């Protein structure tokens, strides 16, 4: 029986390993983490992350060939293949602060693997890492290796998106495996290929050298984010000219060279990875003497920041240039629908912007807890190398001005305006007549996700602002 151990039981490690366990009944999978609370949750009925379909997959395999544990050393020691799926956030201090990836967790995992291993292992980079990380990891593993055991490093970046993780893992567009171009390296590539081949068609399993695999992950996220910034840049021009961004996206996406996906105008992209991975790419370009290329990719983030502050400015300007002491309902706080994840959600910047103008916020999200929202709104945001438009206020003032409520109607009651910041399906079918009746007049709706039918709402009496659409 092949034994797999995955270090890091997060958004990637948990779902990915659960699907491997489900699809490969002859493989034993142990997911380990230092965080006892997280492991306890994986072993309970309330999993630590919300992801459609995940409960079912975990229930089918947990206790059979899928285990969650804090016995990190022991599980790594026994494994043939060790996935490393730890977090790789942006560095906040020191060399490269604000851009470079912080590989502290990765390095400590690598040192631990070297320390506890008594047999040869394949070590798989699952985390998103800077190109050439495998070389650094190889050095750590080989220089700390006191016996004759061999380590083969593979790069196997993950492309799943949150909210559709299980579907993405069941039917990936591709699985990418990079390895050394030596006989031992190719043998390791084949061993990992054999795991995925249990459910992924062979022609979708791509093999490359290590550096191409590492860089392809950063490139894919940069291309995806670039599409959103492109469409969001167009949304500003649409608003200035009377064009409709949905019609422009549709017309542009009909070109088969461009394609229709990922062209929805929004209040801005969020999530733990797009910004972090582009900043990482920018840093790598700068370190390789390519300032023009770095500058090009930086623009993707600058437009995203512009879109968020543009939204705040629109809210304040529309409401007679002040939201001071006005109640504003925030519908949706997660960075996208079908997840409870709030990392880098545009809602943080929008809420902080409105709080900066002294608004009173009433926030509702079906999957995000009150504690999480309050923590996000009071944590200091790390400043990367551009001027911040939106400044947080003191923690006590923030907490006094923020209420987290249990449904959209309660959030909207007595408010002057409603901001839709996440595209949860339930926001499409709310009783907007009822919401209108309970609001102060004029009643405003600012649709940051273009999910409501603006014309219908105008018939009710709302003043509606949608991203990139005529007023
Ligand atoms: P996460 O923060 O949810 O999970 C990482 C886990 O690793 C944490 O639970 C942490 O406690 C654990 N950990 C850290 N150091 C450890 C150590 N030395 N030993 C044991 N456990 C340790 O992160 P995530 O969202 O799962 O992302 C992981 C990686 O995957 C990142 O590099 C990210 O860029 C990449 N990625 C994420 C997504 C996504 O949708 N979230 C998608 C593709 C790729
Ligand atoms: C993204 C990528 O889609 C995954 O392929 C990748 O593996 C992952 O990052 C990662 O490396 O972490 P994720 O961030 O989970 O996945 O979600 P997306 O669906 O990509 O959405 C990201 C953000 O862009 C969300 O805030 C979403 O609302 C926004 N978005 C998306 C738009 O504003 N417009 C669109 O057309 C699409």
């Amino acid at each position: 029986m092949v034994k797999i151990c995955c270090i890091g039981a997060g958004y990637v490690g948990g779902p990915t390993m659960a699907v491997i366990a489900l699809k490969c009944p002859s493989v034993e999978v142990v997911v380990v983490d230092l965080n006892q609370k997280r492991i306890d949750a994986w072993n309970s009925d309330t999993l630590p992350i919300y992801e459609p379909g995940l409960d079912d997959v975990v229930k089918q395999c947990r206790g059979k060939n899928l285990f969650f544990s804090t016995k990190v050393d022991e599980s790594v020691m026994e494994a043939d293949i060790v996935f490393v799926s730890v977090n790789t956030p942006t560095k906040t201090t020191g060399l490269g602060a604000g851009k470079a990836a912080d590989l502290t967790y990765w390095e400590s995992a690598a040192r631990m693997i070297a320390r506890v291993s008594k047999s040869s292992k394949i070590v798989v980079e699952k985390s998103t890492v800077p190109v050439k990380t495998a070389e650094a990891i190889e050095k750590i593993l080989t220089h700390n290796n006191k016996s004759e055991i061999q380590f083969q490093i593979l790069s196997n970046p993950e492309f799943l998106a949150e909210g559709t993780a299980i579907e993405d893992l069941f039917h990936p567009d591709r699985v990418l495996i990079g390895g050394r171009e030596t006989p031992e390296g190719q043998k390791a590539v084949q061993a990992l290929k054999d795991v995925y081949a249990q459910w992924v068609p062979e022609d979708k399993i791509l093999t490359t050298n290590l550096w191409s695999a590492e860089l392809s992950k950063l490139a894919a996220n940069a291309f995806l984010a670039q599409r959103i910034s492109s469409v969001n840049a167009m949304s500003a021009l649409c608003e200035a000219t009377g064009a409709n961004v949905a019609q422009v996206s549709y017309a542009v996406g009909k070109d088969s060279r461009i394609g229709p996906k990922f062209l929805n105008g929004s209040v801005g992209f969020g999530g733990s990875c797009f910004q972090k991975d582009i900043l990482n790419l920018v840093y790598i370009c700068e370190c390789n003497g390519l300032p023009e290329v770095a500058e090009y990719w930086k623009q993707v983030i600058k437009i995203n920041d512009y879109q968020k502050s543009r939204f705040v400015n629109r809210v304040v300007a529309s409401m007679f240039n002040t939201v001071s002491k006005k109640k504003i309902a925030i519908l949706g706080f997660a960075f996208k629908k079908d997840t409870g994840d709030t990392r880098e959600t545009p809602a943080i910047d929008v809420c902080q912007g409105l709080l900066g103008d002294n608004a009173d916020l009433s926030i509702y999200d079906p999957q995000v807890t009150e504690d999480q929202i309050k923590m996000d709104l009071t944590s200091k945001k790390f400043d990367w190398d551009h001027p911040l438009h939106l400044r947080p206020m003191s923690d006590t003032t923030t907490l006094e001005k923020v209420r987290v409520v249990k449904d959209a109607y309660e959030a909207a009651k007595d408010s002057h305006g409603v901001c839709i910041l996440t595209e949860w399906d339930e926001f499409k079918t709310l009783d907007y007549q009822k919401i209108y009746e309970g609001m102060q007049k004029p009643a405003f709706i600012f649709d940051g996700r273009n999910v409501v039918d603006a014309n219908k709402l105008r018939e009710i009496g709302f003043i509606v602002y949608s991203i990139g659409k005529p007023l």
Side-chain angles (χ1 to χ4, degrees), residues 88-230:
T88 51
T90 306
K91 266 183 97 169
T92 53
T93 52
L95 185 66
K99 282 182 267 186
D102 180 350
L103 294 178
T104 312
Y105 303 104
W106 228 113
E107 185 174 334
S108 84
R111 287 183 187 277
M112 183 271 296
I113 296 171
R115 181 170 49 79
V116 304
S117 292
K118 294 196 168 63
S119 58
S120 296
K121 298 190 190 313
I122 296 172
V123 177
V124 184
E125 289 177 350
K126 193 45 131 176
S127 303
T128 304
V129 290
V131 56
K132 287 285 182 182
T133 298
E135 202 169 65
I137 300 306
E138 259 173 4
K139 271 197 195 121
I140 291 171
L141 290 173
T142 47
H143 286 266
N144 285 287
N145 183 4
K146 293 174 206 81
S147 55
E148 290 306 300
I149 59 177
Q150 299 292 317
F151 293 105
Q152 278 301 323
I153 321 292
L154 299 179
S155 164
N156 172 222
E158 183 50 59
F159 296 102
L160 68 79
E162 289 177 31
T164 54
I166 298 301
E167 186 51 31
D168 294 343
L169 289 163
F170 279 179
H171 306 288
D173 285 346
R174 77 310 209 179
V175 166
L176 180 57
I177 305 174
R180 284 277 182 201
E181 285 152 319
T182 57
E184 299 78 27
Q186 289 307 299
K187 208 173 139 204
V189 168
Q190 189 58 46
L192 187 57
K193 214 174 155 180
D194 289 345
V195 172
Y196 283 107
Q198 308 273 326
W199 80 98
V200 180
E202 283 238 11
D203 60 342
K204 292 200 169 181
I205 306 179
L206 316 181
T207 55
T208 64
N209 74 25
L210 273 169
W211 324 128
S212 303
E214 287 178 337
L215 187 54
S216 298
K217 173 62 195 177
L218 295 180
N221 272 0
F223 278 43
L224 288 167
Q226 182 204 43
R227 277 174 83 92
I228 303 170
S229 279
S230 297

Side-chain angles (χ1 to χ4, degrees), residues 8-33:
Y11 285 86
V12 169
T16 311
M17 292 303 126
V19 168
I20 290 183
L22 181 77
K23 300 290 185 181
C24 310
S26 64
V27 173
E28 183 189 282
V29 183
V30 184
V31 191
V32 295
D33 205 294

Side-chain angles (χ1 to χ4, degrees), residues 20 118 284 290 401:
I20 290 183
K118 294 196 168 63
I284 296 168
L290 302 168
K401 297 189 78 62

